[in-house]
Amino acid sequence: MRILLVDDSATMRRIQKTQISNLGISDILEATDGEEALIVLKENMPIDIILLDWNMPVMDGMTFLKKVRSVAAYNDVKVVMCTSESEKSRVIEAMKEGVNNYIIKPFTPDSLKEKLGL
Amino acid sequence: MDVSFVNPFIKALIDTFKTMLSTDTIPGKPQVKSGNKPTHDISGIIGLSGEAQGAIAISFPKIVALKVVSAMLGSSIKIIGPEIVDGIGEIANIVAGRAKQGLSQYKLTISLPNVIVGQNHAISPPSGIRAIIVPFDSSLGNFVMEISLKTK
Ligand SMILES: [Mg+2]
């Protein structure tokens, strides 16, 4: 199981990494924005799950998601949005663009585990 | 002045501290800000735009900011550096984004966080917009949220 964390906040990535490590998963990669994440993804396939922030500089999570979903080689990669964006309209937009699940920050370790399907 | 728009921010802040820091926070009475008080040492600021315009700032004394980010990370941070700046910025981001759930009529877009570090700085609301100050009490110390939102 290999997971890619994409978030511009190092604090958030550290929290996610700690909570995921506590589930016994150690193969965890990180990127600070969508552009970096595209490179990390390409160089480290197979990746099972991408945990994706929405609001990031350089390339945001929605732009990244659309790019990932346009590449057949990434069809099996699960993308789980993890963002403070909380309105129903945002969740619907993300679902329409092909996220597998949606986590609204703040989240508990239990809800992260459940939404990642771990 | 209708200040009901502050309630989703207060709720979001309480939820954020409870969920990510295991800390209870108690809001004080919201007040209309006048002049350049209060002052702070570190502030996380998010701009709000859409069908309403404004900003939200969450501001801390230095010692409280250190305790807050330490609680969030589960490890002790002792100096104001990149970790504190990032942590305070992310807290502001989470509170602002979460609050949007209760303000969906304004179709708000939130900016990336800006963090101000500097002893005794004051926050100026966007020009022409009045700010509401909400003080908070917690076991980590006292801090303040300043919210300004002008509907069209
Ligand atoms: Mg972000």
Side-chain angles (χ1 to χ4, degrees), chain A residues 7-12 14-15 19 53 55-57 84-87 90 104-108, chain B residues 15-16 19-20 72-73 75 83 86-87 90 93-94 97-101 104 108-110 112:
Chain A
D7 198 300
D8 56 323
S9 168
T11 307
M12 183 47 62
R14 202 161 134 189
I15 291 167
Q19 294 182 2
D53 187 20
N55 294 310
M56 297 180 286
S84 68
E85 292 290 344
S86 58
E87 299 110 308
R90 296 291 180 135
I104 300 173
K105 298 173 184 173
F107 54 85
T108 60
Chain B
D15 283 354
T16 300
T19 308
M20 311 247 26
M72 197 172 173
L73 287 173
S75 69
E83 287 160 315
D86 184 89
E90 181 65 2
N93 168 56
I94 296 173
R98 188 71 174 212
K100 289 206 297 169
Q101 213 166 28
S104 53
L108 291 175
T109 298
I110 58 175
L112 295 170

Side-chain angles (χ1 to χ4, degrees), chain A residues 14-106:
Chain A
R14 202 161 134 189
I15 291 167
Q16 293 168 339
K17 193 171 180 177
T18 303
Q19 294 182 2
I20 292 168
S21 301
N22 287 343
L23 301 171
I25 293 162
S26 57
D27 197 353
I28 302 170
L29 304 168
E30 297 183 39
T32 60
D33 61 69
E35 207 168 281
E36 194 185 320
L38 284 173
I39 296 165
V40 175
L41 181 62
K42 194 171 172 188
E43 291 175 351
N44 292 280
M45 282 298 283
I47 284 176
D48 300 285
I49 305 175
I50 301 172
L51 193 56
L52 180 63
D53 187 20
W54 193 315
N55 294 310
M56 297 180 286
V58 189
M59 183 192 290
D60 67 24
M62 184 50 66
T63 310
F64 171 80
L65 173 65
K66 288 176 183 168
K67 287 186 186 288
V68 168
R69 285 295 175 244
S70 70
V71 178
Y74 301 146
N75 274 353
D76 292 337
V77 181
K78 267 173 82 174
V79 179
V80 177
M81 208 77 169
C82 183
T83 172
S84 68
E85 292 290 344
S86 58
E87 299 110 308
K88 203 172 270 173
S89 58
R90 296 291 180 135
V91 181
I92 291 167
E93 186 184 350
M95 290 294 181
K96 218 164 67 189
E97 296 299 339
V99 295
N100 298 82
N101 223 328
Y102 197 104
I103 301 168
I104 300 173
K105 298 173 184 173

